[in-house]
Amino acid sequence: MRAIFVSLALLVTAGAGEKLGEIQNFQQKSNGADYIELEWSLTQDGDYTLHKYTLTTDKDFSNDVRCFNEHCTFVVDYLPACTDHDFELVPHFDGPSGDVLGAVATATGSTADSPPGAPSNIEVSGLGASGTNLTWDAPATNPGCVDVYEVCYRLDSDTATKCENTTDTSITLTALEACGRYQVTVTGVTPSGAAGASLDTFITTQDGVPGQPQNVVVGLSTVDSITIQWDDPLINRLCIDRFAFSYGETHTRSLHYVRASDHEAIISPLNGCTNYTIDVFAVSSAGIAGPFVRNYAATAETEPLAPPSVIVGAHGPDSIDVVWGSDPNEKCSGSITICWHDRDHVEICESIPDGGGNNFTITDLLPCSSYDVIVSVVTPGGIVGQPAANATHTEDVQPGPVKFLRMKEVTSHEMTISYEAPDTHPQCVHEYDIEIINEDDYFSKRSHVVPYMDGTFTDLEACANYLVNVRAVTRTGLFSDWRSITTTTGGDVPSVPRSLAVEDFNQTSVKLNWWQPETNKLCVTKYRLEWTDGTTPGSTEVSPPVGGILPFENEKTVAGLAPCTDYTFTVFADADVGGTSDPATVTQTTAC
């Protein structure tokens, strides 16, 4: 692009009665990361010949543009990416006394995305109780194109990567584990989703105290030993240097350590037929012990282990199959107790002598219901072991339709319905599916899935006929039959008729065009068109055809007007219920 500087010729504005060409459709045609292409047209019915244009960008720098075509384009380049710009375009005409300036046209545009460069200087700005705080510097290249920063991180010893986004050049990562070495990657991403260059670094999170060991259980017990097992803590597992456990009778305690990689210990020698208290805890590299988990065991007839597995599954709509595993090291098992409840009824238990072949079928249950099943091992002496539990649903069946569907209240834009749960299998209902259908505009159909009986719906169209359908839905997607009800919303004032414009005119008539209102359009029963030249008023109505409705776009020609006269035209939207809209107004001078 070559800059053309404005000359010092005399600049004048158009005088009275002078007619100049006007710029039309001044707008952005295309763009790139460093340029914007503009386009416009110029009406050719002016009194003077076009001399040039002056284009001003961002009220800062100008270019002279020489284009004498009816349609022109111009490229403004050397612009930064991802930025908005304002443009002003002024036509210059060759007048009798020098340049005559036409009306100013304005437009806006924006340059396109361009991937940003890599951020720099990732630093750990704080290691607080709420997380690890990171900061970095914005990219040197295209920093304005960064919409968000994607911050990804993973443990140095792991392959799983997690990512979080931030619009700032800092972030607090709350998901990092203490005592971990993490690889962190920061990438700028543009609004269109294009990722720029990345910056990688490694950070080490703060030290911490390990939490309680998980799943601490007593394993094999003999007359002189007890085996105890556990899993890593959920909190600060990377900070574990070793595990410790203490055990003993009421007043005597012993303390032992095992490696961090060990999750099992055999406590021996012990006295037979004795109850023991065993505490297991993790110790950090700084020697700080975390909270302990306490367990109890006996070398005599000890508390049985929980079944290693409990598998439950629906056998039909009214029964559940239960299968459980046996620990081969469990020597004290005498029988199995199975208990079940559906969270709304009293728990029922049944004892199965000699284990019952490790399977049992629970019958006489409700369909579509969630049941908790608890399996416990019981010693011959009556000691009940730790339970193992699982849960499942009985199979779904189709519920009956909702009852007593009725319309409680209807206004112009809101309705409230009520209904009751089905008589048949009400416990099978997981949610309700509600359809709200505007029968005057089918594409406005809305569906609502509600977990409870919610019957108020807003943002409805005034003066519209609505169909409401309701059905019950089970957890697995079985549907009841629909129940339906219809209603008509109340009236409301229409909004202003839209886009009122003069489509054509001559000496004695003007043809007008407008669109239906944006809001409450169905309430419009007719349009009232009024006009005046300042002294003599006139009016007419535009009504729908017999048996029809008013169209989206309306036209009306006003005849019998005086030539060379200024007229003001006003359109109102009238509604039988709700009143009259605000006016839409346009002015036009008839031809001479």
Side-chain angles (χ1 to χ4, degrees):
M1 181 189 72
R2 184 172 66 88
I4 304 175
F5 295 96
V6 180
S7 69
L8 298 178
L10 178 63
L11 301 179
V12 297
T13 57
E18 292 179 325
K19 185 176 182 180
L20 303 179
E22 294 185 357
I23 297 172
Q24 296 181 340
N25 301 321
F26 181 37
Q27 60 189 357
Q28 175 178 309
K29 179 180 180 182
S30 64
N31 67 347
D34 61 350
Y35 75 90
I36 294 175
E37 182 182 12
L38 301 171
E39 65 176 353
W40 65 90
S41 300
L42 184 73
T43 60
Q44 301 297 318
D45 55 353
D47 294 332
Y48 302 129
T49 302
L50 177 70
H51 175 61
K52 65 178 180 179
Y53 298 91
T54 299
L55 174 64
T56 303
T57 302
D58 296 329
K59 300 185 183 299
D60 182 24
F61 60 91
S62 300
N63 298 95
D64 280 358
V65 181
R66 298 184 63 81
C67 174
F68 306 106
N69 300 323
E70 181 178 352
H71 181 79
C72 298
T73 61
F74 189 78
V75 175
V76 181
D77 52 13
Y78 301 109
L79 299 175
C82 306
T83 55
D84 298 326
H85 298 278
D86 298 318
F87 302 98
E88 294 182 352
L89 184 66
V90 181
H92 295 239
F93 299 92
D94 290 322
S97 301
D99 277 5
V100 178
L101 301 183
V104 178
T106 62
T108 60
S110 59
T111 49
D113 281 2
S114 182
S120 60
N121 301 325
I122 298 178
E123 294 182 356
V124 177
S125 60
L127 297 171
S130 61
T132 300
N133 304 318
L134 299 181
T135 60
W136 56 89
D137 294 335
T141 303
N142 295 331
C145 289
V146 177
D147 183 44
V148 296
Y149 290 96
E150 183 181 65
V151 182
C152 298
Y153 51 90
R154 67 172 180 85
L155 278 171
D156 192 26
S157 59
D158 199 357
T159 59
T161 300
K162 297 181 180 179
C163 296
E164 298 181 26
N165 290 340
T166 178
T167 57
D168 203 353
T169 55
S170 64
I171 194 170
T172 299
L173 300 177
T174 60
L176 303 187
E177 296 184 53
C179 307
R181 187 173 187 266
Y182 283 85
Q183 181 180 1
V184 178
T185 302
V186 180
T187 308
V189 182
T190 71
S192 65
S198 300
L199 176 64
D200 293 337
T201 191
F202 285 91
I203 65 171
T204 300
T205 53
Q206 65 181 357
D207 196 6
V209 179
Q212 287 183 325
Q214 296 294 299
N215 304 319
V216 179
V217 295
V218 173
L220 176 66
S221 296
T222 68
V223 294
D224 63 352
S225 67
I226 295 173
T227 301
I228 191 165
Q229 301 168 326
W230 61 89
D231 293 329
D232 281 335
L234 297 177
I235 300 174
N236 297 340
R237 63 184 178 87
L238 300 177
C239 298
I240 299 172
D241 178 67
R242 57 194 183 276
F243 286 100
F245 58 91
S246 65
Y247 62 94
E249 299 179 47
T250 304
H251 301 292
T252 304
R253 307 289 292 177
S254 298
L255 182 64
H256 291 268
Y257 295 94
V258 295
R259 295 171 300 180
S261 59
D262 291 336
H263 294 83
E264 182 180 48
I266 299 176
I267 304 172
S268 178
L270 302 175
N271 297 321
C273 303
T274 304
N275 294 323
Y276 284 88
T277 300
I278 306 170
D279 296 335
V280 181
F281 51 94
V283 182
S284 72
S285 57
I288 301 175
F292 64 83
V293 176
R294 176 160 292 177
N295 220 317
Y296 304 92
T299 52
E301 187 178 279
T302 187
E303 178 178 303
L305 301 175
S309 62
V310 174
I311 301 173
V312 294
H315 188 72
D318 62 350
S319 59
I320 292 173
D321 288 330
V322 186
V323 178
W324 61 91
S326 297
D327 192 322
N329 297 318
E330 179 56 64
K331 306 301 182 182
C332 293
S333 176
S335 61
I336 296 292
T337 295
I338 297 181
C339 299
W340 62 91
H341 64 88
D342 65 354
R343 301 171 188 173
D344 291 326
H345 297 83
V346 176
E347 184 179 77
I348 300 174
C349 296
E350 185 161 341
S351 179
I352 305 173
D354 300 323
N358 291 62
N359 65 85
F360 181 75
T361 298
I362 306 171
T363 59
D364 298 324
L365 304 177
L366 289 173
C368 312
S369 297
S370 176
Y371 283 86
D372 290 331
V373 180
I374 302 97
V375 180
S376 302
V377 179
V378 183
T379 69
I383 300 175
V384 180
Q386 293 292 320
N390 209 333
T392 190
H393 278 78
T394 50
E395 291 183 0
D396 282 2
V397 296
Q398 183 185 32
V402 299
K403 300 187 303 180
F404 308 128
L405 174 62
R406 66 185 183 92
M407 190 67 59
K408 292 180 63 177
E409 184 179 1
V410 181
T411 64
S412 298
H413 302 287
E414 183 174 306
M415 70 172 68
T416 301
I417 64 172
S418 68
Y419 52 92
E420 293 182 12
D423 282 332
T424 304
H425 303 305
Q427 80 281 359
C428 293
V429 179
H430 178 66
E431 56 196 14
Y432 293 93
D433 186 11
I434 302 175
E435 288 184 345
I436 308 297
I437 301 173
N438 183 342
E439 294 185 295
D440 296 314
D441 181 8
Y442 185 78
F443 293 101
S444 67
K445 173 181 176 181
R446 294 186 290 175
S447 294
H448 305 264
V449 177
V450 295
Y452 50 86
M453 295 180 186
D454 184 358
T456 298
F457 305 95
T458 58
D459 299 325
L460 303 182
E461 183 78 16
C463 303
N465 296 310
Y466 277 90
L467 170 66
V468 181
N469 298 321
V470 182
R471 64 181 176 182
V473 187
T474 70
R475 180 180 54 88
T476 57
L478 298 179
F479 300 97
S480 73
D481 293 333
W482 288 106
R483 284 291 183 262
S484 302
I485 192 171
T486 59
T487 190
T488 301
T489 50
D492 202 350
V493 179
S495 59
V496 178
R498 293 180 292 162
S499 302
L500 175 62
V502 174
E503 188 173 310
D504 196 9
F505 67 94
N506 55 34
Q507 290 180 322
T508 59
S509 66
V510 174
K511 184 178 182 181
L512 301 167
N513 178 283
W514 67 90
W515 295 351
Q516 66 182 187
E518 177 71 22
T519 304
N520 303 326
K521 57 183 178 291
L522 297 177
C523 296
V524 179
T525 56
K526 63 182 178 181
Y527 293 100
R528 181 160 41 89
L529 173 60
E530 299 177 356
W531 63 90
T532 181
D533 60 357
T535 58
T536 304
S539 66
T540 187
E541 292 182 353
V542 178
S543 300
V546 177
I549 61 174
L550 288 166
F552 173 82
E553 186 174 3
N554 298 269
E555 292 183 348
K556 185 66 177 180
T557 299
V558 179
L561 304 177
C564 302
T565 304
D566 294 332
Y567 283 88
T568 299
F569 299 89
T570 305
V571 175
F572 299 88
D574 288 342
D576 286 344
V577 179
T580 301
S581 73
D582 291 333
T585 302
V586 68
T587 60
Q588 179 62 49
T589 303
T590 53
C592 296

